[in-house]
mmCIF file of all heavy atoms in Angstrom:
data_model
loop_
_atom_site.group_PDB
_atom_site.id
_atom_site.type_symbol
_atom_site.label_atom_id
_atom_site.label_comp_id
_atom_site.label_asym_id
_atom_site.label_seq_id
_atom_site.Cartn_x
_atom_site.Cartn_y
_atom_site.Cartn_z
ATOM 1 N N ALA A 1 -240.391 1.388 -50.973
ATOM 2 C CA ALA A 1 -240.494 1.093 -52.401
ATOM 3 C C ALA A 1 -239.084 1.050 -52.958
ATOM 4 O O ALA A 1 -238.123 1.492 -52.312
ATOM 5 C CB ALA A 1 -241.331 2.151 -53.121
ATOM 6 N N ILE A 2 -238.965 0.518 -54.165
ATOM 7 C CA ILE A 2 -237.669 0.493 -54.826
ATOM 8 C C ILE A 2 -237.818 1.060 -56.230
ATOM 9 O O ILE A 2 -238.912 1.099 -56.793
ATOM 10 C CB ILE A 2 -237.077 -0.930 -54.886
ATOM 11 C CG1 ILE A 2 -238.034 -1.879 -55.600
ATOM 12 C CG2 ILE A 2 -236.747 -1.433 -53.500
ATOM 13 C CD1 ILE A 2 -237.438 -3.250 -55.822
ATOM 14 N N GLY A 3 -236.703 1.525 -56.779
ATOM 15 C CA GLY A 3 -236.708 2.079 -58.124
ATOM 16 C C GLY A 3 -235.593 1.486 -58.966
ATOM 17 O O GLY A 3 -234.544 1.091 -58.428
ATOM 18 N N TYR A 4 -235.841 1.409 -60.258
ATOM 19 C CA TYR A 4 -234.851 0.842 -61.191
ATOM 20 C C TYR A 4 -234.937 1.609 -62.498
ATOM 21 O O TYR A 4 -236.032 1.798 -63.040
ATOM 22 C CB TYR A 4 -235.124 -0.650 -61.427
ATOM 23 C CG TYR A 4 -234.091 -1.332 -62.299
ATOM 24 C CD1 TYR A 4 -233.004 -1.989 -61.741
ATOM 25 C CD2 TYR A 4 -234.201 -1.315 -63.685
ATOM 26 C CE1 TYR A 4 -232.056 -2.613 -62.538
ATOM 27 C CE2 TYR A 4 -233.252 -1.934 -64.492
ATOM 28 C CZ TYR A 4 -232.184 -2.579 -63.914
ATOM 29 O OH TYR A 4 -231.240 -3.187 -64.703
ATOM 30 N N THR A 5 -233.792 2.062 -62.999
ATOM 31 C CA THR A 5 -233.743 2.754 -64.288
ATOM 32 C C THR A 5 -233.528 1.761 -65.417
ATOM 33 O O THR A 5 -232.605 0.934 -65.366
ATOM 34 C CB THR A 5 -232.609 3.795 -64.313
ATOM 35 O OG1 THR A 5 -232.876 4.804 -63.338
ATOM 36 C CG2 THR A 5 -232.502 4.448 -65.676
ATOM 37 N N MET A 6 -234.378 1.856 -66.443
ATOM 38 C CA MET A 6 -234.295 0.971 -67.606
ATOM 39 C C MET A 6 -233.999 1.792 -68.855
ATOM 40 O O MET A 6 -234.759 2.704 -69.192
ATOM 41 C CB MET A 6 -235.611 0.210 -67.792
ATOM 42 C CG MET A 6 -235.709 -0.597 -69.071
ATOM 43 S SD MET A 6 -234.540 -1.982 -69.138
ATOM 44 C CE MET A 6 -235.258 -3.068 -67.896
ATOM 45 N N TYR A 7 -232.888 1.460 -69.526
ATOM 46 C CA TYR A 7 -232.529 2.113 -70.775
ATOM 47 C C TYR A 7 -232.819 1.172 -71.952
ATOM 48 O O TYR A 7 -231.907 0.574 -72.539
ATOM 49 C CB TYR A 7 -231.053 2.508 -70.791
ATOM 50 C CG TYR A 7 -230.672 3.581 -69.793
ATOM 51 C CD1 TYR A 7 -229.505 3.461 -69.039
ATOM 52 C CD2 TYR A 7 -231.465 4.709 -69.619
ATOM 53 C CE1 TYR A 7 -229.133 4.446 -68.128
ATOM 54 C CE2 TYR A 7 -231.098 5.696 -68.715
ATOM 55 C CZ TYR A 7 -229.942 5.565 -67.982
ATOM 56 O OH TYR A 7 -229.576 6.547 -67.078
ATOM 57 N N ALA A 8 -234.090 1.028 -72.281
ATOM 58 C CA ALA A 8 -234.433 0.239 -73.467
ATOM 59 C C ALA A 8 -233.897 0.962 -74.701
ATOM 60 O O ALA A 8 -233.914 2.188 -74.770
ATOM 61 C CB ALA A 8 -235.944 0.084 -73.569
ATOM 62 N N GLY A 9 -233.422 0.205 -75.659
ATOM 63 C CA GLY A 9 -232.828 0.791 -76.856
ATOM 64 C C GLY A 9 -231.321 0.834 -76.809
ATOM 65 O O GLY A 9 -230.660 1.039 -77.833
ATOM 66 N N SER A 10 -230.749 0.619 -75.621
ATOM 67 C CA SER A 10 -229.302 0.575 -75.477
ATOM 68 C C SER A 10 -228.761 -0.785 -75.913
ATOM 69 O O SER A 10 -229.481 -1.791 -75.907
ATOM 70 C CB SER A 10 -228.934 0.829 -74.010
ATOM 71 O OG SER A 10 -227.585 0.465 -73.751
ATOM 72 N N LEU A 11 -227.493 -0.804 -76.251
ATOM 73 C CA LEU A 11 -226.842 -2.075 -76.553
ATOM 74 C C LEU A 11 -226.880 -3.010 -75.346
ATOM 75 O O LEU A 11 -226.731 -4.229 -75.506
ATOM 76 C CB LEU A 11 -225.384 -1.839 -76.972
ATOM 77 C CG LEU A 11 -225.151 -1.060 -78.277
ATOM 78 C CD1 LEU A 11 -223.662 -0.788 -78.461
ATOM 79 C CD2 LEU A 11 -225.709 -1.825 -79.469
ATOM 80 N N HIS A 12 -227.074 -2.463 -74.155
ATOM 81 C CA HIS A 12 -227.083 -3.257 -72.928
ATOM 82 C C HIS A 12 -228.498 -3.547 -72.445
ATOM 83 O O HIS A 12 -228.689 -3.945 -71.287
ATOM 84 C CB HIS A 12 -226.296 -2.520 -71.847
ATOM 85 C CG HIS A 12 -224.885 -2.215 -72.234
ATOM 86 N ND1 HIS A 12 -223.910 -3.186 -72.322
ATOM 87 C CD2 HIS A 12 -224.296 -1.051 -72.602
ATOM 88 C CE1 HIS A 12 -222.774 -2.633 -72.710
ATOM 89 N NE2 HIS A 12 -222.980 -1.346 -72.876
ATOM 90 N N GLU A 13 -229.474 -3.361 -73.312
ATOM 91 C CA GLU A 13 -230.868 -3.596 -72.913
ATOM 92 C C GLU A 13 -231.074 -5.007 -72.372
ATOM 93 O O GLU A 13 -231.724 -5.189 -71.341
ATOM 94 C CB GLU A 13 -231.797 -3.353 -74.104
ATOM 95 C CG GLU A 13 -233.250 -3.666 -73.821
ATOM 96 C CD GLU A 13 -234.124 -3.557 -75.060
ATOM 97 O OE1 GLU A 13 -234.241 -2.441 -75.603
ATOM 98 O OE2 GLU A 13 -234.682 -4.596 -75.479
ATOM 99 N N ASP A 14 -230.549 -6.013 -73.052
ATOM 100 C CA ASP A 14 -230.785 -7.395 -72.631
ATOM 101 C C ASP A 14 -230.304 -7.637 -71.206
ATOM 102 O O ASP A 14 -230.980 -8.315 -70.413
ATOM 103 C CB ASP A 14 -230.079 -8.374 -73.578
ATOM 104 C CG ASP A 14 -230.680 -8.381 -74.973
ATOM 105 O OD1 ASP A 14 -231.730 -7.735 -75.160
ATOM 106 O OD2 ASP A 14 -230.101 -9.006 -75.872
ATOM 107 N N GLU A 15 -229.147 -7.081 -70.874
ATOM 108 C CA GLU A 15 -228.592 -7.261 -69.535
ATOM 109 C C GLU A 15 -229.476 -6.578 -68.489
ATOM 110 O O GLU A 15 -229.721 -7.127 -67.408
ATOM 111 C CB GLU A 15 -227.176 -6.681 -69.485
ATOM 112 C CG GLU A 15 -226.439 -6.948 -68.198
ATOM 113 C CD GLU A 15 -224.987 -6.500 -68.256
ATOM 114 O OE1 GLU A 15 -224.529 -6.069 -69.338
ATOM 115 O OE2 GLU A 15 -224.309 -6.573 -67.212
ATOM 116 N N MET A 16 -230.006 -5.417 -68.826
ATOM 117 C CA MET A 16 -230.841 -4.689 -67.888
ATOM 118 C C MET A 16 -232.200 -5.366 -67.719
ATOM 119 O O MET A 16 -232.780 -5.343 -66.631
ATOM 120 C CB MET A 16 -230.995 -3.233 -68.333
ATOM 121 C CG MET A 16 -229.671 -2.478 -68.361
ATOM 122 S SD MET A 16 -229.866 -0.713 -68.681
ATOM 123 C CE MET A 16 -230.523 -0.190 -67.099
ATOM 124 N N TRP A 17 -232.705 -5.967 -68.772
ATOM 125 C CA TRP A 17 -233.956 -6.726 -68.651
ATOM 126 C C TRP A 17 -233.772 -7.880 -67.669
ATOM 127 O O TRP A 17 -234.653 -8.153 -66.845
ATOM 128 C CB TRP A 17 -234.389 -7.258 -70.021
ATOM 129 C CG TRP A 17 -235.079 -6.262 -70.877
ATOM 130 C CD1 TRP A 17 -234.757 -4.940 -71.028
ATOM 131 C CD2 TRP A 17 -236.211 -6.491 -71.709
ATOM 132 N NE1 TRP A 17 -235.617 -4.349 -71.917
ATOM 133 C CE2 TRP A 17 -236.516 -5.269 -72.352
ATOM 134 C CE3 TRP A 17 -236.984 -7.610 -71.987
ATOM 135 C CZ2 TRP A 17 -237.571 -5.137 -73.250
ATOM 136 C CZ3 TRP A 17 -238.034 -7.490 -72.890
ATOM 137 C CH2 TRP A 17 -238.327 -6.260 -73.509
ATOM 138 N N LYS A 18 -232.639 -8.566 -67.752
ATOM 139 C CA LYS A 18 -232.373 -9.676 -66.849
ATOM 140 C C LYS A 18 -232.304 -9.175 -65.410
ATOM 141 O O LYS A 18 -232.890 -9.776 -64.493
ATOM 142 C CB LYS A 18 -231.065 -10.369 -67.229
ATOM 143 C CG LYS A 18 -230.679 -11.504 -66.292
ATOM 144 C CD LYS A 18 -229.345 -12.122 -66.679
ATOM 145 C CE LYS A 18 -228.952 -13.209 -65.687
ATOM 146 N NZ LYS A 18 -227.625 -13.804 -66.030
ATOM 147 N N GLU A 19 -231.593 -8.063 -65.198
ATOM 148 C CA GLU A 19 -231.492 -7.501 -63.852
ATOM 149 C C GLU A 19 -232.865 -7.087 -63.327
ATOM 150 O O GLU A 19 -233.192 -7.320 -62.158
ATOM 151 C CB GLU A 19 -230.548 -6.299 -63.849
ATOM 152 C CG GLU A 19 -229.086 -6.656 -63.975
ATOM 153 C CD GLU A 19 -228.181 -5.445 -63.834
ATOM 154 O OE1 GLU A 19 -228.699 -4.320 -63.643
ATOM 155 O OE2 GLU A 19 -226.959 -5.624 -63.914
ATOM 156 N N PHE A 20 -233.667 -6.469 -64.198
ATOM 157 C CA PHE A 20 -234.982 -6.020 -63.754
ATOM 158 C C PHE A 20 -235.871 -7.207 -63.388
ATOM 159 O O PHE A 20 -236.651 -7.122 -62.436
ATOM 160 C CB PHE A 20 -235.664 -5.176 -64.829
ATOM 161 C CG PHE A 20 -236.981 -4.609 -64.366
ATOM 162 C CD1 PHE A 20 -237.020 -3.494 -63.543
ATOM 163 C CD2 PHE A 20 -238.183 -5.210 -64.712
ATOM 164 C CE1 PHE A 20 -238.229 -2.985 -63.085
ATOM 165 C CE2 PHE A 20 -239.398 -4.720 -64.257
ATOM 166 C CZ PHE A 20 -239.421 -3.590 -63.446
ATOM 167 N N ARG A 21 -235.764 -8.287 -64.123
ATOM 168 C CA ARG A 21 -236.553 -9.484 -63.782
ATOM 169 C C ARG A 21 -236.229 -9.926 -62.363
ATOM 170 O O ARG A 21 -237.135 -10.206 -61.560
ATOM 171 C CB ARG A 21 -236.255 -10.618 -64.764
ATOM 172 C CG ARG A 21 -236.880 -11.952 -64.338
ATOM 173 C CD ARG A 21 -236.578 -13.062 -65.322
ATOM 174 N NE ARG A 21 -235.163 -13.317 -65.476
ATOM 175 C CZ ARG A 21 -234.417 -14.034 -64.635
ATOM 176 N NH1 ARG A 21 -234.947 -14.527 -63.516
ATOM 177 N NH2 ARG A 21 -233.135 -14.234 -64.867
ATOM 178 N N GLU A 22 -234.945 -9.987 -62.018
ATOM 179 C CA GLU A 22 -234.546 -10.412 -60.682
ATOM 180 C C GLU A 22 -235.040 -9.426 -59.621
ATOM 181 O O GLU A 22 -235.523 -9.826 -58.554
ATOM 182 C CB GLU A 22 -233.024 -10.540 -60.625
ATOM 183 C CG GLU A 22 -232.488 -11.633 -61.541
ATOM 184 C CD GLU A 22 -230.975 -11.572 -61.726
ATOM 185 O OE1 GLU A 22 -230.363 -10.561 -61.287
ATOM 186 O OE2 GLU A 22 -230.412 -12.512 -62.309
ATOM 187 N N VAL A 23 -234.945 -8.135 -59.926
ATOM 188 C CA VAL A 23 -235.396 -7.097 -58.996
ATOM 189 C C VAL A 23 -236.907 -7.172 -58.801
ATOM 190 O O VAL A 23 -237.416 -7.127 -57.673
ATOM 191 C CB VAL A 23 -234.984 -5.704 -59.522
ATOM 192 C CG1 VAL A 23 -235.751 -4.596 -58.815
ATOM 193 C CG2 VAL A 23 -233.487 -5.496 -59.368
ATOM 194 N N GLN A 24 -237.634 -7.295 -59.897
ATOM 195 C CA GLN A 24 -239.098 -7.308 -59.827
ATOM 196 C C GLN A 24 -239.605 -8.502 -59.043
ATOM 197 O O GLN A 24 -240.519 -8.392 -58.211
ATOM 198 C CB GLN A 24 -239.673 -7.299 -61.251
ATOM 199 C CG GLN A 24 -241.153 -7.008 -61.328
ATOM 200 C CD GLN A 24 -242.002 -8.282 -61.363
ATOM 201 O OE1 GLN A 24 -241.477 -9.391 -61.415
ATOM 202 N NE2 GLN A 24 -243.312 -8.092 -61.344
ATOM 203 N N GLU A 25 -239.028 -9.667 -59.266
ATOM 204 C CA GLU A 25 -239.476 -10.858 -58.563
ATOM 205 C C GLU A 25 -239.126 -10.801 -57.077
ATOM 206 O O GLU A 25 -239.919 -11.239 -56.224
ATOM 207 C CB GLU A 25 -238.886 -12.104 -59.230
ATOM 208 C CG GLU A 25 -239.468 -12.343 -60.626
ATOM 209 C CD GLU A 25 -238.849 -13.518 -61.357
ATOM 210 O OE1 GLU A 25 -237.953 -14.181 -60.767
ATOM 211 O OE2 GLU A 25 -239.233 -13.767 -62.514
ATOM 212 N N ALA A 26 -237.974 -10.218 -56.754
ATOM 213 C CA ALA A 26 -237.620 -10.054 -55.345
ATOM 214 C C ALA A 26 -238.553 -9.056 -54.675
ATOM 215 O O ALA A 26 -238.957 -9.236 -53.519
ATOM 216 C CB ALA A 26 -236.170 -9.596 -55.219
ATOM 217 N N ALA A 27 -238.916 -8.002 -55.390
ATOM 218 C CA ALA A 27 -239.840 -7.006 -54.840
ATOM 219 C C ALA A 27 -241.184 -7.635 -54.520
ATOM 220 O O ALA A 27 -241.825 -7.294 -53.515
ATOM 221 C CB ALA A 27 -240.014 -5.854 -55.825
ATOM 222 N N ARG A 28 -241.636 -8.547 -55.351
ATOM 223 C CA ARG A 28 -242.901 -9.242 -55.089
ATOM 224 C C ARG A 28 -242.803 -10.091 -53.816
ATOM 225 O O ARG A 28 -243.766 -10.199 -53.062
ATOM 226 C CB ARG A 28 -243.274 -10.119 -56.291
ATOM 227 C CG ARG A 28 -243.637 -9.327 -57.542
ATOM 228 C CD ARG A 28 -244.987 -8.637 -57.378
ATOM 229 N NE ARG A 28 -245.319 -7.829 -58.545
ATOM 230 C CZ ARG A 28 -245.186 -6.512 -58.613
ATOM 231 N NH1 ARG A 28 -244.712 -5.833 -57.580
ATOM 232 N NH2 ARG A 28 -245.514 -5.852 -59.712
ATOM 233 N N GLN A 29 -241.634 -10.681 -53.588
ATOM 234 C CA GLN A 29 -241.460 -11.490 -52.383
ATOM 235 C C GLN A 29 -241.591 -10.637 -51.120
ATOM 236 O O GLN A 29 -242.099 -11.094 -50.099
ATOM 237 C CB GLN A 29 -240.085 -12.176 -52.404
ATOM 238 C CG GLN A 29 -239.929 -13.246 -53.470
ATOM 239 C CD GLN A 29 -240.820 -14.450 -53.220
ATOM 240 O OE1 GLN A 29 -240.974 -14.893 -52.083
ATOM 241 N NE2 GLN A 29 -241.423 -14.980 -54.267
ATOM 242 N N TYR A 30 -241.152 -9.376 -51.219
ATOM 243 C CA TYR A 30 -241.199 -8.477 -50.065
ATOM 244 C C TYR A 30 -242.439 -7.583 -50.062
ATOM 245 O O TYR A 30 -242.621 -6.792 -49.132
ATOM 246 C CB TYR A 30 -239.945 -7.598 -50.033
ATOM 247 C CG TYR A 30 -238.699 -8.318 -49.570
ATOM 248 C CD1 TYR A 30 -237.737 -8.726 -50.488
ATOM 249 C CD2 TYR A 30 -238.493 -8.570 -48.219
ATOM 250 C CE1 TYR A 30 -236.581 -9.373 -50.070
ATOM 251 C CE2 TYR A 30 -237.341 -9.221 -47.785
ATOM 252 C CZ TYR A 30 -236.389 -9.619 -48.720
ATOM 253 O OH TYR A 30 -235.254 -10.263 -48.296
ATOM 254 N N SER A 31 -243.264 -7.695 -51.079
ATOM 255 C CA SER A 31 -244.497 -6.895 -51.186
ATOM 256 C C SER A 31 -244.219 -5.397 -51.134
ATOM 257 O O SER A 31 -244.927 -4.630 -50.486
ATOM 258 C CB SER A 31 -245.494 -7.279 -50.082
ATOM 259 O OG SER A 31 -245.909 -8.623 -50.242
ATOM 260 N N VAL A 32 -243.149 -4.972 -51.829
ATOM 261 C CA VAL A 32 -242.878 -3.544 -51.965
ATOM 262 C C VAL A 32 -243.061 -3.160 -53.427
ATOM 263 O O VAL A 32 -242.712 -3.932 -54.325
ATOM 264 C CB VAL A 32 -241.462 -3.163 -51.490
ATOM 265 C CG1 VAL A 32 -241.320 -3.358 -49.997
ATOM 266 C CG2 VAL A 32 -240.394 -3.927 -52.258
ATOM 267 N N PRO A 33 -243.632 -1.984 -53.699
ATOM 268 C CA PRO A 33 -243.828 -1.582 -55.095
ATOM 269 C C PRO A 33 -242.515 -1.198 -55.759
ATOM 270 O O PRO A 33 -241.565 -0.767 -55.099
ATOM 271 C CB PRO A 33 -244.759 -0.368 -54.979
ATOM 272 C CG PRO A 33 -244.542 0.165 -53.608
ATOM 273 C CD PRO A 33 -244.205 -1.019 -52.745
ATOM 274 N N ILE A 34 -242.484 -1.359 -57.070
ATOM 275 C CA ILE A 34 -241.302 -1.011 -57.845
ATOM 276 C C ILE A 34 -241.653 0.047 -58.876
ATOM 277 O O ILE A 34 -242.639 -0.085 -59.610
ATOM 278 C CB ILE A 34 -240.673 -2.257 -58.510
ATOM 279 C CG1 ILE A 34 -239.457 -1.854 -59.345
ATOM 280 C CG2 ILE A 34 -241.676 -3.029 -59.345
ATOM 281 C CD1 ILE A 34 -238.610 -3.035 -59.770
ATOM 282 N N VAL A 35 -240.858 1.103 -58.886
ATOM 283 C CA VAL A 35 -241.028 2.200 -59.836
ATOM 284 C C VAL A 35 -239.946 2.070 -60.891
ATOM 285 O O VAL A 35 -238.753 2.041 -60.565
ATOM 286 C CB VAL A 35 -240.921 3.570 -59.140
ATOM 287 C CG1 VAL A 35 -241.114 4.696 -60.154
ATOM 288 C CG2 VAL A 35 -241.942 3.677 -58.005
ATOM 289 N N MET A 36 -240.355 1.978 -62.156
ATOM 290 C CA MET A 36 -239.391 1.904 -63.246
ATOM 291 C C MET A 36 -239.163 3.298 -63.825
ATOM 292 O O MET A 36 -240.096 3.946 -64.286
ATOM 293 C CB MET A 36 -239.866 0.962 -64.365
ATOM 294 C CG MET A 36 -238.882 0.912 -65.549
ATOM 295 S SD MET A 36 -239.544 0.077 -67.016
ATOM 296 C CE MET A 36 -239.429 -1.625 -66.484
ATOM 297 N N TRP A 37 -237.912 3.758 -63.768
ATOM 298 C CA TRP A 37 -237.505 4.945 -64.521
ATOM 299 C C TRP A 37 -237.324 4.453 -65.962
ATOM 300 O O TRP A 37 -236.291 3.871 -66.298
ATOM 301 C CB TRP A 37 -236.169 5.465 -64.004
ATOM 302 C CG TRP A 37 -236.139 6.449 -62.878
ATOM 303 C CD1 TRP A 37 -235.543 7.673 -62.926
ATOM 304 C CD2 TRP A 37 -236.626 6.323 -61.532
ATOM 305 N NE1 TRP A 37 -235.649 8.316 -61.709
ATOM 306 C CE2 TRP A 37 -236.314 7.512 -60.831
ATOM 307 C CE3 TRP A 37 -237.320 5.321 -60.860
ATOM 308 C CZ2 TRP A 37 -236.654 7.713 -59.502
ATOM 309 C CZ3 TRP A 37 -237.661 5.520 -59.542
ATOM 310 C CH2 TRP A 37 -237.345 6.700 -58.870
ATOM 311 N N SER A 38 -238.301 4.646 -66.825
ATOM 312 C CA SER A 38 -238.256 4.071 -68.169
ATOM 313 C C SER A 38 -237.827 5.139 -69.168
ATOM 314 O O SER A 38 -238.628 5.964 -69.601
ATOM 315 C CB SER A 38 -239.624 3.498 -68.554
ATOM 316 O OG SER A 38 -239.512 2.742 -69.739
ATOM 317 N N TYR A 39 -236.545 5.091 -69.520
ATOM 318 C CA TYR A 39 -235.946 6.097 -70.400
ATOM 319 C C TYR A 39 -235.339 5.425 -71.633
ATOM 320 O O TYR A 39 -234.133 5.179 -71.680
ATOM 321 C CB TYR A 39 -234.842 6.860 -69.668
ATOM 322 C CG TYR A 39 -235.285 7.712 -68.514
ATOM 323 C CD1 TYR A 39 -234.362 8.112 -67.546
ATOM 324 C CD2 TYR A 39 -236.599 8.151 -68.362
ATOM 325 C CE1 TYR A 39 -234.744 8.917 -66.478
ATOM 326 C CE2 TYR A 39 -236.981 8.947 -67.300
ATOM 327 C CZ TYR A 39 -236.049 9.327 -66.368
ATOM 328 O OH TYR A 39 -236.423 10.121 -65.309
#
């Protein structure tokens, strides 16, 4: 599995959303679950 920390509410939220999109779609290609550390 893979994990990704998301800091919604930060000035850098938009950049992290873009990164998470790429991570999430790649995870689907490999059929591994993704755990979001949502803080």
Side-chain angles (χ1 to χ4, degrees):
I2 57 174
Y4 184 94
T5 296
M6 172 66 70
Y7 294 137
S10 165
L11 295 174
H12 303 288
E13 176 186 296
D14 293 352
E15 187 173 355
M16 297 187 74
W17 280 40
K18 177 182 177 181
E19 287 186 0
F20 184 79
R21 171 180 60 80
E22 296 167 350
V23 164
Q24 193 266 355
E25 292 176 1
R28 292 289 178 259
Q29 292 293 319
Y30 285 103
S31 296
V32 293
I34 178 167
V35 181
M36 178 191 285
W37 271 236
S38 190
Y39 294 160

